[in-house]
Amino acid sequence: MLERLNRCWRVVATGFCFAMFGLGGLFIRLVVYPLLLLFTRDAERRKRAAQAVIHHSFRFFVGLMNFVGVISYEVRHLERLDRKGLLILANHPSLIDVVFLVSFIPSADCIVKESLLRNPFTRGPIHAAGFICNSGGAQLVEDCNRSLAEGNNLIIFPEGTRTPLVGDVKLQRGAAHVAVKGRVNITPVHIHTSLPMLPKGRPWWKVPARKPHFIFEVREDIDIEEFCVAAGNESLAARQVTDYLSDHLFRGPSRASA
């Protein structure tokens, strides 16, 4: 009986959290962004301010989910994210992975789907922070490397979508091409959930039987120069980096970090 009541509460609390998230997006679009346009003339300062607003908003949202009992979480080696110009690659088991990562990382940039630019709840924050639109092609790689050169910490999910609950996982090579083209080391983050929470193909109201626990493990940087020297050309280096990531990103949390 208590487990059933707890699960019902988490359904209600999850809906409440998503409602707050949507209202926050509208508030940024209708209030915060116009104020930034009015009082901040410099485009770069305006973008930095918007990124800071989103960072703190996402921190509040993660704290809210934890407070109302929707999830619990821990972060291992968070200090490794306290740098600028990081290329952060992570696996993608849950819809809220990017929310967690942006809440940990000031000056975060990420790649967003074009459909989110048409969503009234997300369009405002995306425009304000200058997030990269996934238009595909060589331009996307150039946009990513430009963002890194500007000192942003760029978050990419090499899968391109959430990890399926069943079946093989295949990484796209775009993230590896960004690393190889810009000669930027990769900071991998492994995300582990004790139970599936907001996975691909499952609606938000189908919460797990118990409160899921998230573990975010920030692993040591992957040296890209080693791959480039060994491969001899960028195309082969990107393929080898992708193959390496296929194992590295999906290996569970290390016992040494536990």
Side-chain angles (χ1 to χ4, degrees):
M1 182 65 179
L2 289 176
E3 288 185 1
R4 184 177 297 178
L5 287 174
N6 178 266
R7 192 169 189 173
C8 290
W9 164 251
R10 284 186 288 109
V11 172
V12 173
T14 301
F16 171 74
C17 289
F18 272 104
M20 292 293 292
F21 187 87
L23 290 173
L26 280 178
F27 181 77
I28 292 175
R29 177 189 175 189
L30 300 177
V31 179
V32 175
Y33 191 44
L35 288 175
L36 289 175
L37 287 172
L38 182 62
F39 293 106
T40 310
R41 299 294 183 182
D42 181 72
E44 183 61 26
R45 288 184 59 192
R46 186 165 59 242
K47 185 176 76 172
R48 294 295 182 192
Q51 289 176 344
V53 169
I54 293 172
H55 165 67
H56 289 291
S57 299
F58 283 8
R59 284 188 66 180
F60 171 80
F61 181 73
V62 168
L64 177 65
M65 287 191 298
N66 185 61
F67 177 75
V68 300
V70 171
I71 53 94
S72 61
Y73 73 98
E74 61 181 287
V75 189
R76 299 173 180 174
H77 305 297
L78 180 62
E79 71 281 357
R80 290 173 177 165
L81 298 180
D82 190 21
R83 295 172 288 166
K84 292 184 178 180
L86 297 177
L87 175 57
I88 300 162
L89 304 189
N91 60 314
H92 198 6
S94 173
L95 179 65
I96 53 178
D97 297 331
V98 69
V99 177
F100 272 108
L101 292 175
V102 173
S103 77
F104 304 149
I105 305 166
S107 301
D109 198 354
C110 59
I111 300 173
V112 299
K113 296 179 181 179
E114 285 186 285
S115 60
L116 293 178
L117 294 173
R118 299 188 294 271
N119 186 315
F121 297 103
T122 56
R123 180 167 55 202
I126 289 171
H127 277 301
F131 290 158
I132 299 170
C133 179
N134 186 6
S135 55
Q139 184 61 46
L140 178 60
V141 174
E142 292 179 9
D143 290 342
C144 289
N145 280 311
R146 183 173 63 251
S147 178
L148 291 166
E150 291 172 353
N152 294 312
N153 294 318
L154 180 61
I155 301 166
I156 300 179
F157 299 105
E159 296 166 81
T161 184
R162 278 172 283 170
T163 310
L165 292 176
V166 294
D168 295 331
V169 176
K170 185 175 182 180
L171 301 188
Q172 300 180 13
R173 292 184 190 172
H177 278 292
V178 172
V180 171
K181 187 76 173 178
R183 294 298 195 273
V184 181
N185 290 342
I186 292 171
T187 302
V189 178
H190 177 80
I191 305 172
H192 171 78
T193 59
S194 61
L195 293 167
M197 175 66 177
L198 300 170
K200 186 176 183 179
R202 183 177 295 180
W204 68 264
W205 62 85
K206 289 189 176 181
V207 301
R210 297 176 302 280
K211 179 173 67 175
H213 183 68
F214 284 72
I215 299 175
F216 296 84
E217 184 180 16
V218 186
R219 295 175 172 170
E220 293 183 356
D221 286 359
I222 299 171
D223 189 347
I224 291 300
E225 191 63 31
E226 291 183 4
F227 288 92
C228 294
V229 171
N233 65 77
E234 293 183 352
S235 180
L236 181 57
R239 185 186 309 167
Q240 293 177 350
V241 169
T242 302
D243 291 341
Y244 180 80
L245 287 171
S246 295
D247 172 65
H248 197 80
L249 278 184
F250 295 96
R251 196 175 349 116
S254 62
R255 293 184 179 181
S257 300

